[in-house]
Amino acid sequence: MEADDSKELPPPSDSGDGTYTPDDLIDLVRAIKFAHPEMSMKKVHKEISGAMANADESYAFLKEVKLDEVKKVWKKALKNANKSSTQKSSAEEPVITINDFQHPDDGVFKFYTVGDGSVKTLAENYSKHKAEAIVAAKLKEELKKYTHFFLDVPAELSGKSPHQALISFNDNNKALSSSVDRTSDGREIFKIQSAKLPPGMEHMLTPMLLYNNGKKSSTFLHPPSPDKLDEDDGGYMKIKQMISESGTGGAYGDSGGQKAYFYGMITETEDGPNVVSIDTSELAPSQRW
């Protein structure tokens, strides 16, 4: 017969500035183990009496937590810890989208709430910090798939007319709609068309046209300057290669150039032109528009 864990728990302690109960210690241990599963009992104790206690003056009383107290709640804290952590992280994990994600300037995520002295609040914020860090890391990795362009960029940038290559539009296409196609994850689908060039000029780099269904948002993707082909081209060459290898004919077949469909999203800006971000990790399914 197992002994009642509650008989082993230490009594509430009071350092003068605040109090902590056995249940508080259980919450703290669970929060730390959720964030750092590899931490030993001694390191968890050091985290509570060191980093957490120094997070804010209102938590200074945690400096009084003894290793023996952590040891007495350890078994109970780890009992069903996975279930507790899953429920907690699911409830507290913030809803963040790629458009919302901004990495802190100093690279450090702040997770301690300045001070009500509540151990429960401290434990919750510690777990929330871990959840946010996981989401942020995933989003940071996700962002590597995207290349970004300003919307409403004209085909003519310098005042000199670009090569008059043919990019045909089927303006009478019945499938065109004023609505915006969105995928289940909230992204849009964009068509990008490359020009049909005369024989002997197939390797010439010309602007490519990007737009969404209904042509509510559009822009031209300009090639890099000839003297900068070896530098970062902003994603132009990657997209051109994807269209060349996997695209289909334009509205008038091969005579209208090539096209392909991409996943993307639009970020609205306050002062400048809006930005369209295109996922270059895969093509979107072919559309009827």
Side-chain angles (χ1 to χ4, degrees):
M1 181 177 178
E2 291 187 4
D4 185 353
D5 288 335
S6 62
K7 293 180 181 179
E8 302 177 3
L9 301 181
S13 299
D14 189 345
S15 65
D17 295 327
T19 61
Y20 60 88
T21 67
D23 285 340
D24 288 334
L25 291 182
I26 289 173
D27 285 342
L28 292 177
V29 171
R30 282 180 174 171
I32 295 171
K33 289 293 286 183
F34 169 64
H36 305 285
E38 77 288 349
M39 272 197 177
S40 65
M41 185 189 301
K42 288 184 178 180
K43 289 185 177 179
V44 168
H45 168 254
K46 185 177 180 180
E47 185 75 1
I48 294 173
S49 60
M52 286 182 161
N54 293 322
D56 186 81
E57 290 182 0
S58 60
Y59 298 120
F61 61 91
L62 291 177
K63 294 179 182 179
E64 304 299 323
V65 174
K66 304 295 190 294
L67 177 60
D68 186 57
E69 292 177 308
V70 174
K71 182 178 181 180
K72 288 179 179 179
V73 302
W74 188 259
K75 182 179 178 181
K76 188 169 184 177
L78 299 187
K79 192 175 182 181
N80 297 325
N82 290 336
K83 180 178 179 181
S84 173
S85 296
T86 300
Q87 292 173 342
K88 181 177 291 188
S89 62
S90 175
E92 295 176 357
E93 184 169 308
V95 178
I96 304 176
T97 66
I98 291 177
N99 286 334
D100 296 328
F101 173 62
Q102 290 185 338
H103 196 276
D105 293 335
D106 59 4
V108 179
F109 288 89
K110 307 301 189 300
F111 60 93
Y112 293 116
T113 295
V114 176
D116 61 1
S118 166
V119 175
K120 180 178 176 60
T121 299
L122 181 62
E124 289 176 349
N125 287 336
Y126 198 98
S127 295
K128 183 178 180 181
H129 160 67
K130 175 62 175 181
E132 289 177 341
I134 291 173
V135 173
K138 289 181 178 178
L139 288 176
K140 187 175 182 180
E141 188 64 28
E142 184 74 12
L143 283 173
K144 294 179 181 178
K145 300 179 182 179
Y146 289 82
T147 186
H148 314 280
F149 305 92
F150 287 118
L151 284 173
D152 303 318
V153 174
E156 202 173 313
L157 286 180
S158 63
K160 297 180 180 179
S161 296
H163 179 77
Q164 294 301 310
L166 175 65
I167 300 180
S168 298
F169 301 95
N170 189 357
D171 290 324
N172 296 318
N173 192 331
K174 302 298 183 182
L176 283 178
S177 167
S178 60
S179 63
V180 174
D181 290 341
R182 292 190 182 276
T183 60
S184 59
D185 59 5
R187 296 186 298 176
E188 294 184 40
I189 293 179
F190 295 87
K191 179 194 287 187
I192 302 180
Q193 290 180 269
S194 62
K196 174 66 176 180
L197 296 170
M201 301 182 68
E202 291 85 357
H203 298 294
M204 184 175 181
L205 300 179
T206 59
M208 297 186 291
L209 177 67
L210 173 153
Y211 59 95
N212 60 0
N213 191 3
K215 301 178 184 175
K216 281 190 165 185
S217 301
S218 63
T219 195
F220 278 91
L221 314 184
H222 286 266
S225 302
D227 58 339
K228 295 183 179 179
L229 289 177
D230 295 332
E231 300 178 15
D232 181 10
D233 65 355
Y236 175 94
M237 296 302 294
K238 172 68 173 177
I239 291 175
K240 184 172 180 61
Q241 180 183 6
M242 292 175 73
I243 294 175
S244 177
E245 294 178 352
S246 305
T248 58
Y252 298 107
D254 290 341
S255 64
Q258 284 186 296
K259 65 182 180 181
Y261 296 87
F262 294 79
Y263 294 110
M265 54 200 169
I266 293 174
T267 301
E268 296 182 355
T269 61
E270 293 182 3
D271 303 321
N274 293 337
V275 175
V276 59
S277 300
I278 298 299
D279 184 348
T280 57
S281 67
E282 61 176 344
L283 290 176
S286 181
Q287 306 294 304
R288 294 184 61 188
W289 48 274

